[in-house]
Protein backbone atom coordinates (compact mmCIF):
# COMPACT_ATOMS: atom_id res chain seq x y z
CA UNK A 1 0.00 0.00 0.00
CA UNK A 2 1.01 3.61 -0.44
CA UNK A 3 0.68 6.63 1.79
CA UNK A 4 1.27 10.23 0.76
CA UNK A 5 2.54 12.82 3.21
CA UNK A 6 2.06 16.47 2.30
CA UNK A 7 5.08 18.18 3.82
CA UNK A 8 5.23 21.58 5.48
CA UNK A 9 6.67 23.10 2.28
CA UNK A 10 3.62 21.66 0.43
CA UNK A 11 5.67 19.15 -1.53
CA UNK A 12 4.52 15.54 -1.26
CA UNK A 13 6.28 12.34 -0.29
CA UNK A 14 4.65 9.05 -1.28
CA UNK A 15 6.00 5.97 0.46
CA UNK A 16 5.31 2.25 0.51
CA UNK A 17 3.82 0.91 3.74
CA UNK A 18 3.31 -2.61 4.99
CA UNK A 19 -0.07 -3.20 6.63
CA UNK A 20 -0.05 -3.40 10.42
CA UNK A 21 2.38 -0.60 11.24
CA UNK A 22 1.71 2.67 12.98
CA UNK A 23 1.60 5.43 10.42
CA UNK A 24 4.16 7.29 12.54
CA UNK A 25 6.56 4.35 12.17
CA UNK A 26 6.11 4.39 8.41
CA UNK A 27 6.93 8.10 8.37
CA UNK A 28 9.98 7.77 10.61
CA UNK A 29 11.30 4.76 8.65
CA UNK A 30 11.08 6.86 5.51
CA UNK A 31 12.58 9.97 7.13
CA UNK A 32 9.48 12.06 6.43
CA UNK A 33 10.36 15.58 7.65
CA UNK A 34 8.20 16.88 10.51
CA UNK A 35 7.25 13.47 11.92
CA UNK A 36 9.58 12.66 14.82
CA UNK A 37 7.69 10.15 16.94
CA UNK A 38 9.57 11.17 20.08
CA UNK A 39 7.40 9.18 22.51
CA UNK A 40 7.61 5.99 20.47
CA UNK A 41 3.95 5.98 19.61
CA UNK A 42 2.34 6.41 23.04
CA UNK A 43 0.19 9.43 22.12
CA UNK A 44 2.30 11.46 24.53
CA UNK A 45 4.34 13.91 22.46
CA UNK A 46 2.37 15.14 19.42
CA UNK A 47 5.48 15.07 17.24
CA UNK A 48 3.48 12.95 14.82
CA UNK A 49 0.60 15.43 14.38
CA UNK A 50 -1.07 15.30 10.96
CA UNK A 51 -4.20 16.59 9.30
CA UNK A 52 -6.13 13.82 7.56
CA UNK A 53 -7.50 14.60 4.09
CA UNK A 54 -11.30 14.84 4.08
CA UNK A 55 -11.84 11.74 1.97
CA UNK A 56 -9.86 9.67 4.49
CA UNK A 57 -11.40 10.92 7.72
CA UNK A 58 -13.89 8.08 8.08
CA UNK A 59 -11.49 5.30 7.11
CA UNK A 60 -8.89 6.41 9.65
CA UNK A 61 -11.42 6.19 12.48
CA UNK A 62 -11.89 8.13 15.68
CA UNK A 63 -9.27 9.56 18.00
CA UNK A 64 -8.37 7.38 20.95
CA UNK A 65 -8.91 8.81 24.44
CA UNK A 66 -5.16 9.19 25.05
CA UNK A 67 -4.82 10.85 21.67
CA UNK A 68 -7.64 13.26 22.43
CA UNK A 69 -6.04 14.18 25.76
CA UNK A 70 -2.74 14.94 24.01
CA UNK A 71 -4.42 16.93 21.26
CA UNK A 72 -6.24 18.99 23.88
CA UNK A 73 -2.78 20.34 24.79
CA UNK A 74 -1.34 20.64 21.29
CA UNK A 75 -0.91 23.75 19.18
CA UNK A 76 -2.66 24.00 15.82
CA UNK A 77 -5.28 21.32 16.40
CA UNK A 78 -8.16 21.21 13.94
CA UNK A 79 -11.14 18.95 13.44
CA UNK A 80 -9.08 16.80 11.08
CA UNK A 81 -6.09 16.47 13.44
CA UNK A 82 -4.75 13.03 14.31
CA UNK A 83 -1.64 11.72 15.98
CA UNK A 84 -0.46 9.38 13.29
CA UNK A 85 0.99 6.92 15.82
CA UNK A 86 -2.66 6.13 16.55
CA UNK A 87 -3.43 5.21 12.94
CA UNK A 88 -2.56 1.66 11.89
CA UNK A 89 -1.87 1.01 8.25
CA UNK A 90 -4.03 -1.51 6.44
CA UNK A 91 -5.01 -2.19 2.86
CA UNK A 92 -8.17 -0.13 3.25
CA UNK A 93 -5.94 2.89 3.72
CA UNK A 94 -4.09 2.37 0.44
CA UNK A 95 -3.72 5.84 -1.07
CA UNK A 96 -4.10 7.64 2.26
CA UNK A 97 -3.11 11.31 2.22
CA UNK A 98 -2.14 13.19 5.36
CA UNK A 99 -0.63 16.62 5.87
CA UNK A 100 2.33 16.91 8.23
CA UNK A 101 1.77 19.59 10.86
CA UNK A 102 5.14 19.41 12.61
CA UNK A 103 5.84 20.36 16.18
FE1 LIG B 1 4.30 10.63 20.22
FE2 LIG B 1 2.60 10.00 18.27
S1 LIG B 1 4.67 9.49 18.44
S2 LIG B 1 2.24 11.19 20.03
Amino acid sequence: MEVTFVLQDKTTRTVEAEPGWKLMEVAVDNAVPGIDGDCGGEAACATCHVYVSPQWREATGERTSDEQAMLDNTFGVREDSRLCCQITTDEELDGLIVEVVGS
Side-chain angles (χ1 to χ4, degrees):
M1 63 171 289
E2 283 187 349
V3 180
T4 296
F5 295 90
V6 179
L7 307 182
Q8 288 158 304
D9 64 4
K10 301 303 176 197
T11 60
T12 60
R13 174 86 63 85
T14 299
V15 302
E16 287 288 330
E18 292 291 323
W21 290 86
K22 296 171 191 277
L23 186 56
M24 175 276 287
E25 294 171 321
V26 172
V28 169
D29 283 352
N30 286 278
V32 172
I35 303 284
D36 296 332
D38 286 348
C39 75
E42 300 299 322
C45 72
T47 64
C48 67
H49 185 188
V50 297
Y51 299 137
V52 175
S53 288
Q55 68 268 37
W56 291 102
R57 295 272 303 277
E58 195 175 330
T60 49
E62 301 292 322
R63 296 172 184 165
T64 65
S65 55
D66 286 348
E67 178 182 11
Q68 184 62 57
M70 188 67 229
L71 286 172
D72 285 343
N73 294 296
T74 299
F75 181 75
V77 171
R78 308 191 316 205
E79 201 178 334
D80 54 355
S81 288
R82 293 295 309 271
L83 298 176
C84 71
C85 64
Q86 302 301 302
I87 297 173
T88 302
T89 55
D90 69 34
E91 291 295 350
E92 287 185 13
L93 296 179
D94 186 24
L96 175 65
I97 303 169
V98 297
E99 182 179 342
V100 176
V101 180
S103 52

